[in-house]
PDB file of all heavy atoms in Angstrom:
ATOM      1  N   GLU J 387    -154.873  48.949-182.573  1.00 97.00           N
ATOM      2  CA  GLU J 387    -154.121  49.758-181.591  1.00 97.00           C
ATOM      3  C   GLU J 387    -153.470  50.954-182.271  1.00 97.00           C
ATOM      4  O   GLU J 387    -153.510  52.065-181.759  1.00 97.00           O
ATOM      5  CB  GLU J 387    -153.034  48.895-180.925  1.00 97.00           C
ATOM      6  CG  GLU J 387    -153.552  47.898-179.909  1.00 97.00           C
ATOM      7  CD  GLU J 387    -154.189  46.699-180.582  1.00 97.00           C
ATOM      8  OE1 GLU J 387    -153.901  46.418-181.779  1.00 97.00           O
ATOM      9  OE2 GLU J 387    -155.015  46.025-179.927  1.00 97.00           O
ATOM     10  N   LEU J 388    -152.889  50.706-183.463  1.00 97.00           N
ATOM     11  CA  LEU J 388    -152.243  51.820-184.171  1.00 97.00           C
ATOM     12  C   LEU J 388    -153.287  52.874-184.586  1.00 97.00           C
ATOM     13  O   LEU J 388    -153.050  54.073-184.482  1.00 97.00           O
ATOM     14  CB  LEU J 388    -151.493  51.294-185.396  1.00 97.00           C
ATOM     15  CG  LEU J 388    -150.845  52.363-186.261  1.00 97.00           C
ATOM     16  CD1 LEU J 388    -149.868  53.214-185.466  1.00 97.00           C
ATOM     17  CD2 LEU J 388    -150.113  51.722-187.469  1.00 97.00           C
ATOM     18  N   MET J 389    -154.467  52.392-185.004  1.00 97.00           N
ATOM     19  CA  MET J 389    -155.530  53.325-185.367  1.00 97.00           C
ATOM     20  C   MET J 389    -155.880  54.213-184.163  1.00 97.00           C
ATOM     21  O   MET J 389    -156.085  55.421-184.298  1.00 97.00           O
ATOM     22  CB  MET J 389    -156.756  52.541-185.819  1.00 97.00           C
ATOM     23  CG  MET J 389    -157.835  53.377-186.453  1.00 97.00           C
ATOM     24  SD  MET J 389    -157.304  53.881-188.101  1.00 97.00           S
ATOM     25  CE  MET J 389    -158.427  55.187-188.454  1.00 97.00           C
ATOM     26  N   ILE J 390    -155.959  53.597-182.984  1.00 98.00           N
ATOM     27  CA  ILE J 390    -156.303  54.350-181.774  1.00 98.00           C
ATOM     28  C   ILE J 390    -155.187  55.364-181.461  1.00 98.00           C
ATOM     29  O   ILE J 390    -155.451  56.534-181.111  1.00 98.00           O
ATOM     30  CB  ILE J 390    -156.568  53.403-180.591  1.00 98.00           C
ATOM     31  CG1 ILE J 390    -157.818  52.568-180.878  1.00 98.00           C
ATOM     32  CG2 ILE J 390    -156.718  54.173-179.260  1.00 98.00           C
ATOM     33  CD1 ILE J 390    -158.123  51.460-179.888  1.00 98.00           C
ATOM     34  N   ALA J 391    -153.937  54.928-181.619  1.00 98.00           N
ATOM     35  CA  ALA J 391    -152.812  55.860-181.355  1.00 98.00           C
ATOM     36  C   ALA J 391    -152.870  57.035-182.340  1.00 98.00           C
ATOM     37  O   ALA J 391    -152.707  58.195-181.955  1.00 98.00           O
ATOM     38  CB  ALA J 391    -151.484  55.132-181.487  1.00 98.00           C
ATOM     39  N   ARG J 392    -153.142  56.740-183.625  1.00 97.00           N
ATOM     40  CA  ARG J 392    -153.243  57.821-184.621  1.00 97.00           C
ATOM     41  C   ARG J 392    -154.398  58.763-184.297  1.00 97.00           C
ATOM     42  O   ARG J 392    -154.249  59.986-184.302  1.00 97.00           O
ATOM     43  CB  ARG J 392    -153.499  57.239-186.021  1.00 97.00           C
ATOM     44  CG  ARG J 392    -152.283  56.624-186.659  1.00 97.00           C
ATOM     45  CD  ARG J 392    -152.692  56.062-188.016  1.00 97.00           C
ATOM     46  NE  ARG J 392    -151.595  55.345-188.651  1.00 97.00           N
ATOM     47  CZ  ARG J 392    -151.754  54.581-189.717  1.00 97.00           C
ATOM     48  NH1 ARG J 392    -152.939  54.422-190.283  1.00 97.00           N
ATOM     49  NH2 ARG J 392    -150.719  53.955-190.237  1.00 97.00           N
ATOM     50  N   ASN J 393    -155.563  58.163-184.007  1.00 97.00           N
ATOM     51  CA  ASN J 393    -156.747  58.974-183.666  1.00 97.00           C
ATOM     52  C   ASN J 393    -156.479  59.857-182.459  1.00 97.00           C
ATOM     53  O   ASN J 393    -156.902  61.016-182.407  1.00 97.00           O
ATOM     54  CB  ASN J 393    -157.945  58.081-183.325  1.00 97.00           C
ATOM     55  CG  ASN J 393    -158.588  57.434-184.533  1.00 97.00           C
ATOM     56  OD1 ASN J 393    -159.380  56.507-184.405  1.00 97.00           O
ATOM     57  ND2 ASN J 393    -158.258  57.896-185.732  1.00 97.00           N
ATOM     58  N   THR J 394    -155.744  59.310-181.488  1.00 98.00           N
ATOM     59  CA  THR J 394    -155.453  60.054-180.254  1.00 98.00           C
ATOM     60  C   THR J 394    -154.701  61.329-180.574  1.00 98.00           C
ATOM     61  O   THR J 394    -155.052  62.415-180.113  1.00 98.00           O
ATOM     62  CB  THR J 394    -154.649  59.137-179.280  1.00 98.00           C
ATOM     63  OG1 THR J 394    -155.470  58.023-178.991  1.00 98.00           O
ATOM     64  CG2 THR J 394    -154.277  59.864-178.001  1.00 98.00           C
ATOM     65  N   LEU J 395    -153.663  61.196-181.397  1.00 97.00           N
ATOM     66  CA  LEU J 395    -152.880  62.388-181.747  1.00 97.00           C
ATOM     67  C   LEU J 395    -153.689  63.355-182.589  1.00 97.00           C
ATOM     68  O   LEU J 395    -153.607  64.572-182.410  1.00 97.00           O
ATOM     69  CB  LEU J 395    -151.588  61.975-182.476  1.00 97.00           C
ATOM     70  CG  LEU J 395    -150.584  61.219-181.594  1.00 97.00           C
ATOM     71  CD1 LEU J 395    -149.330  60.878-182.397  1.00 97.00           C
ATOM     72  CD2 LEU J 395    -150.196  62.004-180.343  1.00 97.00           C
ATOM     73  N   GLU J 396    -154.504  62.817-183.508  1.00 96.00           N
ATOM     74  CA  GLU J 396    -155.337  63.682-184.358  1.00 96.00           C
ATOM     75  C   GLU J 396    -156.281  64.527-183.514  1.00 96.00           C
ATOM     76  O   GLU J 396    -156.398  65.738-183.686  1.00 96.00           O
ATOM     77  CB  GLU J 396    -156.186  62.842-185.311  1.00 96.00           C
ATOM     78  CG  GLU J 396    -155.450  62.423-186.599  1.00 96.00           C
ATOM     79  CD  GLU J 396    -156.087  61.203-187.244  1.00 96.00           C
ATOM     80  OE1 GLU J 396    -157.306  60.975-187.044  1.00 96.00           O
ATOM     81  OE2 GLU J 396    -155.362  60.474-187.914  1.00 96.00           O
ATOM     82  N   VAL J 397    -156.965  63.867-182.567  1.00 97.00           N
ATOM     83  CA  VAL J 397    -157.936  64.580-181.730  1.00 97.00           C
ATOM     84  C   VAL J 397    -157.253  65.677-180.930  1.00 97.00           C
ATOM     85  O   VAL J 397    -157.798  66.779-180.739  1.00 97.00           O
ATOM     86  CB  VAL J 397    -158.628  63.592-180.742  1.00 97.00           C
ATOM     87  CG1 VAL J 397    -159.412  64.314-179.669  1.00 97.00           C
ATOM     88  CG2 VAL J 397    -159.519  62.666-181.503  1.00 97.00           C
ATOM     89  N   LEU J 398    -156.034  65.408-180.488  1.00 97.00           N
ATOM     90  CA  LEU J 398    -155.323  66.382-179.647  1.00 97.00           C
ATOM     91  C   LEU J 398    -154.604  67.416-180.503  1.00 97.00           C
ATOM     92  O   LEU J 398    -153.994  68.348-179.968  1.00 97.00           O
ATOM     93  CB  LEU J 398    -154.334  65.653-178.718  1.00 97.00           C
ATOM     94  CG  LEU J 398    -155.013  64.669-177.745  1.00 97.00           C
ATOM     95  CD1 LEU J 398    -153.942  63.849-177.029  1.00 97.00           C
ATOM     96  CD2 LEU J 398    -155.892  65.410-176.731  1.00 97.00           C
TER      97      LEU J 398
END
Side-chain angles (χ1 to χ4, degrees):
E387 287 75 22
L388 177 57
M389 190 74 196
I390 294 172
R392 284 179 185 168
N393 285 166
T394 299
L395 293 182
E396 276 158 26
V397 168
L398 299 171

